[in-house]
Amino acid sequence: MKKFIYMDYQATTPCDPRVLDKMLPYFCEEFGNPHSSSHAMGMVAAEAVECARQQVASIIGVKDARSVIFTSGATESNNLSIQGAARAYGKKGDQIISTSIEHKCVLESVHAMSKEGFEAKIIPVQKNGIIDLDSLGKALEAPTVLVSVGWVNNEIGVCQPMAEISDICRQRGVLLHSDAAQAVGKIEIDAALVDLLSISGHKIYGPKGVGALYVRMDPALRLKPLFHGGGQERKMRSGTLSPPLCVGIGEACRIASEEMSAEYARLAEFKKYFLERIFASLGKVFLNGDAEKRIPGCLNLSFAGVEGESLMLGMRDVCISSGSACTSSTLEPSHVIQALAVYDDLAHSSLRIGMGRFTTFEEVKYVADKLIEVVTRMRAMSPIW
Ligand SMILES: *Cc1c(COP(=O)(O)O)cnc(C)c1O
C-alpha cells in the first residue's frame, strides 16, 4: 500500500499521467506563443489551444468552442463571472443572488460587489443542502443582475436542481452563473442551462493553475474584464495563454467524458459499501447533505461525540479533510455545514471523504475500518459520550 491514502479529491486531484504526457511537448519543443499568428511556431501552439478549447466545450455540451475562455482556475472564472457580469449588465442597487453554501471565492466576490453599490443577497439552503426554490423565486422579485449557484457543492457533494433554477432565472430574464468545478467530468453538464459556467483543471485530473469559463455566445455576453492587456480571450481575459496548461485541461476533459459513466458507477459502489459499513458499526453518524441528490465520490459525515480535527489526527495515514481546504486552517466549523442547520457539536465533528479516479476498493475498506476503530476508541475515552 502507498504511504498515504488520499481521500481528499474535492481539494484537488492528481494530474492524470495521460494528461501530463500530452502537456509535455508544449513546454520546451512547441513553445510558441499561441497569439503569434505570423509564424509556424505560434500557429502550432494556437492549434493546440483551439483543440483544447473544443475538448472543454464538448464536455459541457457546447458546439461553439468560442464560448469557452481559459483562465487561471475556477477562482478566477468565478470572480470574472460575478464582477464582470455585474459591472457590464448591472446598475446600482441591483442584487447579486447566491447561496449560503457556495465556495468562498463566490461568496467573497458577491460581497466585494457591495462596495460598488450592488446588494449581496445570500439565500439559505434546506437541511439537505439543496437550494430552496421558493426563496430564490422570492429573492428574484427585487431587481437582480445575476444569480450564482454552484452545480455540485465541494464540501457535501450535493447536486443542485440546475434545470429548475435555470427556468426560474430565465422567466425573470436574470443571468445565471454556476460554479461547476466539482460537477464537470463527474455528471453530465449542459451549459445551455446557464449563461456562465466555471471549470477548474485540477479538480478533474488536469494541472493546477488553469481553468475555463463558459460565456454564452448566442446572444454573446460581454463581461467587463478583471484586468487590462492585449485583449486575448475575446477581450475578457488578457494575458498570454499557457499552451501546456490549456492542453492539460482539454485532455482532462476528453478523458473524463470518455470515462465518466463507468467511473460514476465504480464510485457509487464504493459509496454504498462505505456507508453501509459505517452505519452498521457506528451509531449516531449523520450524512451531511441529501443522500441521493449527490455525486458518489464526496461523503461528508458527522460523528456525534468526536471532534473532526481529533479524528483526523487519529488517522494520520489518511489524507482527509474536515471541511474545505481553504477554511480548514481555522477551527470554526465550515460555513457550509453550519448553513445546513446541523447542531453545533455535530458541525464540529464533520469529516469529508473524497474518493476519485485512483481510489481502490482496498483503500475504501481500510479507511472505513480505520474510521470505525478511531471513532469507537475516542467515544470510549470521552467523558460526555
Ligand atoms: C476548487 C474549487 C474552486 C477553486 O478552484 P481553483 O481552480 O483552485 O481556483 C472553486 N469552486 C469550487 C466548487 C471548487 O471545488
Side-chain angles (χ1 to χ4, degrees):
M1 259 206 183
K2 290 165 232 155
K3 197 158 146 226
F4 292 108
I5 292 178
Y6 188 73
M7 289 266 170
D8 201 12
Y9 276 81
Q10 277 69 47
T12 193
T13 62
C15 187
D16 191 304
R18 294 170 288 180
V19 169
L20 179 64
D21 280 348
K22 287 276 192 255
M23 291 170 61
L24 285 175
Y26 295 95
F27 283 102
C28 302
E29 295 143 45
E30 300 297 350
F31 60 84
N33 183 326
H35 313 294
S36 301
S37 46
S38 62
H39 57 67
M41 296 281 301
M43 269 146 59
V44 168
E47 250 168 56
V49 167
E50 293 320 309
C51 168
R53 199 186 300 281
Q54 193 67 58
Q55 289 169 318
V56 176
S58 159
I59 201 173
I60 53 174
V62 169
K63 287 211 180 66
D64 189 346
R66 289 176 304 163
S67 52
V68 171
I69 68 174
F70 290 109
T71 65
S72 63
T75 299
E76 187 188 334
S77 296
N78 289 339
N79 272 268
L80 176 55
S81 294
I82 292 163
Q83 300 179 42
R87 287 177 190 143
Y89 296 100
K91 54 181 194 311
K92 226 178 155 68
D94 278 357
Q95 297 185 114
I96 303 173
I97 299 177
S98 194
T99 84
S100 52
I101 61 167
E102 298 306 315
H103 194 277
K104 284 283 175 189
C105 65
V106 168
L107 288 172
E108 294 300 319
S109 292
V110 172
H111 286 302
M113 294 312 283
S114 35
K115 283 192 215 84
E116 295 176 34
F118 295 95
E119 194 74 42
K121 176 79 182 169
I122 307 302
I123 59 172
V125 293
Q126 305 168 82
K127 269 187 144 86
N128 62 356
I130 308 285
I131 188 172
D132 179 0
L133 294 174
D134 290 338
S135 299
L136 176 61
K138 278 223 178 62
L140 278 167
E141 284 167 14
T144 303
V145 58
L146 178 77
V147 172
S148 177
V149 178
W151 207 297
V152 169
N153 183 268
N154 59 303
E155 288 192 41
I156 55 177
V158 299
C159 308
Q160 299 297 341
M162 292 310 296
E164 279 100 322
I165 294 169
S166 173
D167 279 347
I168 293 171
C169 292
R170 296 254 150 103
Q171 273 165 26
R172 296 267 173 184
V174 172
L175 294 174
L176 176 59
H177 163 252
S178 184
D179 175 356
Q182 296 288 346
V184 168
K186 301 193 178 87
I187 55 173
E188 290 290 342
I189 298 295
D190 181 7
L193 291 175
V194 301
D195 303 290
L196 296 154
L197 180 132
S198 305
I199 305 174
S200 171
H202 72 101
K203 303 298 175 78
I204 55 173
Y205 311 95
K208 294 170 183 59
V210 67
L213 177 63
Y214 161 79
V215 185
R216 193 193 67 203
M217 268 306 280
D218 189 24
L221 279 184
R222 285 250 156 250
L223 302 175
K224 275 271 187 309
L226 292 177
F227 37 83
H228 306 286
Q232 289 92 346
E233 298 302 86
R234 292 174 41 230
K235 298 199 167 62
M236 289 185 270
R237 207 278 186 173
S238 282
T240 304
L241 287 174
S242 163
L245 292 180
C246 295
V247 165
I249 193 175
E251 178 69 2
C253 286
R254 188 196 65 75
I255 295 172
S257 333
E258 211 161 82
E259 301 181 353
M260 181 155 49
S261 60
E263 179 63 1
Y264 187 97
R266 199 179 73 95
L267 292 176
E269 284 297 311
F270 288 178
K271 168 196 163 200
K272 183 164 175 288
Y273 171 85
F274 188 86
L275 290 180
E276 280 175 4
R277 179 91 182 87
I278 296 283
F279 287 133
S281 313
L282 294 171
K284 299 248 182 243
V285 182
F286 305 91
L287 179 65
N288 295 311
D290 196 274
E292 302 306 323
K293 294 170 190 148
R294 60 164 53 252
I295 52 163
C298 176
L299 303 172
N300 192 306
L301 296 164
S302 286
F303 302 86
V306 194
E307 292 260 315
E309 301 290 323
S310 34
L311 250 180
M312 290 192 301
L313 293 179
M315 328 211 337
R316 281 182 191 274
D317 55 347
V318 183
C319 299
I320 211 166
S321 162
S322 64
S324 73
C326 340
T327 35
S328 54
S329 57
T330 69
L331 284 175
E332 271 289 287
S334 99
H335 69 282
V336 175
I337 305 297
Q338 284 180 311
L340 302 183
V342 216
Y343 293 111
D344 218 34
D345 54 335
L346 277 183
H348 276 284
S349 72
S350 73
L351 209 62
R352 180 181 68 186
I353 292 110
M355 304 177 288
R357 185 175 291 168
F358 302 103
T359 305
T360 64
F361 182 57
E362 280 62 43
E363 291 176 333
V364 176
K365 267 208 302 223
Y366 177 87
V367 173
D369 289 347
K370 185 92 182 196
L371 250 178
I372 292 163
E373 177 202 313
V374 175
V375 170
T376 307
R377 181 159 37 103
M378 286 189 171
R379 281 177 175 175
M381 294 189 313
S382 162
I384 51 164
W385 175 249

